[in-house]
Amino acid sequence: MTEAPQIRPAGGASYSRIHGVGGYRPVRVIPNSEVLTWIESSDEWIRTRSGITERRWAGPEETVSEMSVQAAGKAIAQAGIDPAQIGGVIVATVSHFKQTPAIATEIALRLGCGTAPAFDISAACAGFGYGLSLADGMIRGGSAEYVLVIGVERLSDLTDKSDRSTAFIFGDGAGAAVVGPSDTPGIGKVIWGSDASQKDVITQTEAWDTAFAKPDAVNGPGAEIKWPALRMDGQPVFRWAVWEMAKVAQQALDAAGITADQLGAFIPHQANMRITDAMIKALKLPDSVPVARDIAETGNTSAASIPLAMERMLESGEAKSGDLALIIGFGAGLVYAAAVVTLP
């Protein structure tokens, strides 16, 4: 009897790592004093509740595509490769409003990535971690040598300036990382998942189809249709992030075989300074480990926050190339992703 033919196994790299990182921050700075012209609050209240003093909001020319290209260009240059060597472009975003095509295809074209597969993922503030896991699998599985992972948001487009609970939180920006082959492990096991039982605690006010299908009787003749916005039930999110995400972060450390005192940096999603402080305490993180606190100047940039913070820590010297960093993202869904990575 003739044996069935065997599929040739894919030949990928043994390991992967981040080779380069880059970021883009919009020019316009929105201080708390400007936010206070929209809502009844105080600078002290905003700082105490979130740790935010200012955020960046994109202008008309600072599109999702443009910010991504700028951030990716820096990451590619740091990685020391040609854009044509990129075998995959993954864009994590919730603020690209065209259903199709994916914005990743336009970004790949603008960067000169040839015929690389390009696609978007919607995983909110965990988007960069999700993209990192996919890139690691693509490289070790042999479908790409280098993969570009981008987290980008224009959350100002989804911010209701009259909502006292969210108007001060969100910012815009893009962060990118080039992931490629490595002789040694550079990305630990990504601990990722979701808890859909709490899917309604962070959500868009309404779906696009219902928002734009309202008759004039609802909006008023000739009235401008109110743009859907982000809504968040802060207390459940805070409790979930503090208690559940500290466990996930510890799982990522354990999976990588790393202890907290061996870290060179802790780079959590920039959601809230109080959440960061609580996670530090839960993880028993030594004072010697630098912690990203970019939320003070950038606000919550969702999928962009981890790569943006990673770039700043490396540029400032707060963290060094070759250091081990614990990253964790969490947000709407509720979704999460954590891993230990070697900094480029």
Side-chain angles (χ1 to χ4, degrees), residues 295-327:
I295 191 170
E297 287 81 34
T298 65
N300 180 340
T301 56
S302 187
S305 77
I306 290 174
L308 277 172
M310 186 181 294
E311 180 204 45
R312 185 200 57 75
M313 293 186 84
L314 288 167
E315 286 187 344
S316 68
E318 193 173 354
K320 298 177 176 59
S321 174
D323 281 352
L324 295 178
L326 171 62
I327 64 171

Side-chain angles (χ1 to χ4, degrees), residues 21-112:
V21 66
Y24 179 85
R25 297 161 183 80
V27 174
R28 184 185 174 197
V29 177
I30 307 289
N32 285 348
S33 58
E34 183 171 342
V35 175
L36 296 179
T37 66
W38 315 333
I39 59 173
E40 185 178 344
S41 187
S42 69
D43 177 67
E44 181 183 5
W45 186 87
I46 293 173
R47 289 173 186 251
T48 301
R49 288 291 297 268
S50 67
I52 300 172
T53 61
E54 62 186 36
R55 70 286 294 145
R56 301 291 185 99
W57 277 18
E61 304 302 317
E62 293 170 311
T63 62
V64 167
S65 175
E66 181 61 28
M67 292 191 294
S68 296
V69 167
Q70 294 296 326
K74 293 169 68 176
I76 293 168
Q78 188 183 87
I81 65 169
D82 188 277
Q85 292 177 260
I86 293 173
V89 178
I90 302 172
V91 177
T93 185
V94 297
S95 47
H96 169 56
F97 299 137
K98 185 178 286 187
Q99 191 70 36
T100 191
I103 194 62
T105 57
E106 177 185 325
I107 293 166
L109 175 66
R110 292 185 60 186
L111 289 170

Side-chain angles (χ1 to χ4, degrees), residues 274-291:
R274 292 189 300 155
I275 291 175
T276 296
D277 289 339
M279 291 182 70
I280 291 169
K281 184 177 180 180
L283 290 168
K284 297 181 173 60
L285 206 66
D287 293 339
S288 58
V289 177
V291 177

Side-chain angles (χ1 to χ4, degrees), residues 167-183:
F168 61 93
I169 294 174
F170 301 112
D172 303 336
V178 172
V179 184
S182 176
D183 294 330

Side-chain angles (χ1 to χ4, degrees), residues 108-173:
L109 175 66
R110 292 185 60 186
L111 289 170
C113 298
T115 58
F119 57 95
D120 298 351
I121 58 175
S122 177
C125 307
F128 181 75
Y130 272 45
L132 203 63
S133 183
L134 294 171
D136 175 61
M138 290 167 70
I139 291 159
R140 293 193 293 114
S143 62
E145 183 179 15
Y146 293 96
V147 178
L148 177 64
V149 179
I150 300 170
V152 57
E153 302 294 3
R154 273 184 55 117
L155 295 181
S156 56
D157 292 334
L158 285 167
T159 296
D160 180 353
K161 293 166 70 173
S162 67
D163 179 13
R164 187 173 183 270
S165 64
T166 62
F168 61 93
I169 294 174
F170 301 112
D172 303 336

Side-chain angles (χ1 to χ4, degrees), residues 228-305:
L230 293 173
R231 285 288 184 269
M232 181 168 62
D233 190 351
Q235 284 305 312
V237 173
F238 182 87
R239 290 193 296 268
W240 177 81
V242 169
W243 299 111
E244 298 303 321
M245 291 306 96
K247 298 175 188 176
V248 170
Q250 187 61 55
Q251 289 175 37
L253 286 171
D254 294 342
I258 299 299
T259 56
D261 61 335
Q262 293 175 308
L263 292 171
F266 177 40
I267 311 178
H269 161 53
Q270 300 299 290
N272 183 294
M273 200 78 81
R274 292 189 300 155
I275 291 175
T276 296
D277 289 339
M279 291 182 70
I280 291 169
K281 184 177 180 180
L283 290 168
K284 297 181 173 60
L285 206 66
D287 293 339
S288 58
V289 177
V291 177
R293 297 183 180 277
D294 295 54
I295 191 170
E297 287 81 34
T298 65
N300 180 340
T301 56
S302 187
S305 77

